[in-house]
Amino acid sequence: MKHKPLKIGELTAKIPVIQGGMGVGISLSRLAGAVAAEGGIGVLSAAQIGYRDSAYDQNPVDTNLRCLKEEIKKAKELAGGGIIGVNIMVATKFYEDYVRAAVEADVDLIICGAGLPNDLPKLVDGSRTKIAPIVSTLKSVRVICKMWDKHYHRVPDLVIIEGPEAGGHLGFTPKQLEEYDEQAYDQEIAAIIEHVRTYEEAYAAEIPVVVAGGIYERKDLEKYLEMGASGVQMGTRFVTTYECDADERYKQAYLKAKQEDIIIVKSPVGMPGRAIKNPFIEKTMEHSIPMKKCHQCITACNQKDIPYCITDALINAAIGEVDEALLFCGSNAYRAEKIEHVSDIMQEFA
């Protein structure tokens, strides 16, 4: 099946694949730049992006904001004119500052999930940066489109539908995840696409819709293109690449994982997430792990009640301390059999 490029306003991705933003430190400039250079859209994760910097422990927020700009610059250099985006969770403390920093760095696209990005249009006003909410239900896309239309007289430049098979934090209840049915959720996807079309007509504008969660091979792309989507977003497949910014031991954890090792966990931020079962997860099921220092990450964090510090757990994953880490992954992580090049994946989807 011959596909069309993914067009977001004046931006054009030759291959309609967005690399999902993965934090902490899993998708930085090396991975994002490589994907963009091959004709897709490379995405940084803003989550604790400055964790490697010597100033991080003393001043995490200012360090993150500085490093965000630096990583965007490096990614754009590697991309050679390709499209670079950044994923910024609405639940992030000082979220608005991260958005402004990304705009100042002239990022092409800002993707926001983990909450409703109600004021995102205001934060990018006057810039060329495109904006894309992540939604999981028809209800959420209705709320966002209605609010942006009413208050800002604009629509999303792109909508990303993230389904129940995605990795990391999930926009569903544990019960919804247990009862997930692919055919039923496909109907939800179709309804979201149809709703977005009404805003396309009202604004005489193209609003591409991209599907995420459980995307692993080309046939997944073809399925959603046939349903009316304009492309797909995937993260898990890019973890086991030479270019992925994570430590080699993190990648090996994917290669070793069996299907039964991939489980739903309760995150300290109050949302369910998908991860690889390991000694750390087993430990957190028995008792809480005291927090050493607050890294100013998520607004919903209550230091007194959390079972462990999610920032520490995700940093351990990125640096390869895999037995003391939260190893976020998508539902297909067990399918990884080898480390491959980004160029090979993109060629498969071309």
Side-chain angles (χ1 to χ4, degrees):
M1 179 180 178
K2 182 68 176 173
H3 55 65
K4 298 177 182 176
L6 174 57
K7 290 182 176 290
I8 309 170
E10 69 279 5
L11 302 174
T12 302
K14 183 177 64 176
I15 301 172
V17 171
I18 300 175
Q19 162 253 311
M22 298 173 284
V24 170
I26 308 303
S27 64
L28 298 175
S29 55
R30 186 171 61 173
L31 177 58
V35 173
E38 292 294 331
I41 298 178
V43 180
L44 307 160
S45 168
Q48 305 297 344
I49 196 167
Y51 80 95
R52 298 176 297 184
D53 193 276
S54 60
Y56 174 76
D57 282 340
Q58 291 302 314
N59 198 335
V61 176
D62 285 350
T63 304
N64 283 335
L65 294 172
R66 172 172 52 80
C67 289
L68 176 58
K69 292 180 179 181
E70 292 171 359
E71 285 293 313
I72 290 170
K73 182 181 178 183
K74 285 193 282 188
K76 291 181 81 168
E77 289 170 355
L78 290 169
I83 303 169
I84 295 295
V86 60
N87 183 299
I88 306 173
M89 295 185 294
V90 178
T92 304
K93 282 187 178 179
F94 309 103
Y95 154 77
E96 293 188 357
D97 293 329
Y98 285 90
V99 172
R100 291 190 185 101
V103 170
E104 287 169 14
D106 197 32
V107 78
D108 296 309
L109 173 68
I110 292 176
I111 297 169
C112 288
L116 296 176
N118 296 335
D119 296 326
L120 187 55
K122 177 179 71 177
L123 300 174
V124 303
D125 189 41
S127 77
R128 67 170 201 90
T129 300
K130 307 299 181 190
I131 51 176
I134 295 176
V135 302
S136 296
T137 62
L138 176 59
K139 181 181 177 181
S140 56
V141 79
R142 277 179 171 158
V143 169
I144 292 168
C145 288
K146 185 177 180 180
M147 187 166 292
W148 288 11
D149 176 39
K150 180 180 178 180
H151 294 289
Y152 302 107
H153 308 293
R154 72 162 295 174
V155 287
D157 298 300
L158 166 76
V159 172
I160 297 173
I161 306 171
E162 190 169 272
E165 292 191 281
H169 291 121
L170 303 166
F172 300 90
T173 65
K175 187 172 185 289
Q176 286 173 323
L177 293 170
E178 283 175 26
E179 296 173 354
Y180 167 65
D181 176 83
E182 184 178 345
Q183 286 186 320
Y185 194 70
D186 281 351
Q187 293 176 359
E188 188 84 1
I189 291 170
I192 293 171
I193 292 172
E194 186 178 341
H195 188 71
V196 171
R197 294 290 173 261
T198 65
Y199 281 90
E200 279 191 325
E201 291 169 10
Y203 278 78
E206 285 188 32
I207 310 171
V209 177
V210 163
V211 178
I215 312 299
Y216 201 81
E217 55 190 348
R218 187 189 169 102
K219 72 175 186 179
D220 301 322
L221 167 65
E222 292 176 353
K223 171 188 171 178
Y224 292 114
L225 292 179
E226 287 173 5
M227 286 179 61
S230 298
V232 293
Q233 174 180 284
M234 61 180 183
T236 293
R237 181 78 187 271
F238 287 114
V239 169
T240 49
T241 60
Y242 292 102
E243 294 86 357
C244 177
D245 295 271
D247 186 276
E248 179 68 21
R249 289 167 289 183
Y250 182 87
K251 302 174 190 182
Q252 289 298 322
Y254 274 49
L255 298 183
K256 293 173 186 173
K258 298 181 177 67
Q259 189 169 7
E260 58 268 26
D261 297 328
I262 298 170
I263 60 171
I264 300 299
V265 299
K266 184 179 178 182
S267 163
V269 305
M271 301 169 72
R274 181 172 279 110
I276 297 172
K277 190 174 184 180
N278 66 346
F280 176 78
I281 294 291
E282 292 172 347
K283 195 187 301 182
T284 62
M285 289 175 175
E286 296 172 2
H287 59 81
S288 60
I289 299 171
M291 184 173 172
K292 297 173 185 174
K293 182 182 176 72
C294 179
H295 305 287
Q296 300 292 313
C297 63
I298 301 292
T299 54
C301 178
N302 185 334
Q303 296 180 41
K304 293 179 181 177
D305 299 331
I306 59 170
Y308 58 90
C309 172
I310 192 163
T311 288
D312 287 341
L314 292 175
I315 287 175
N316 283 344
I319 64 176
E321 300 294 336
V322 293
D323 288 342
E324 299 297 327
L326 177 59
L327 304 173
F328 273 155
C329 69
S331 62
N332 286 309
Y334 71 96
R335 293 175 61 183
E337 296 178 344
K338 63 181 179 179
I339 306 294
E340 55 190 335
H341 285 288
V342 163
S343 58
D344 295 327
I345 295 173
M346 297 305 289
Q347 192 57 45
E348 178 186 331
F349 282 80

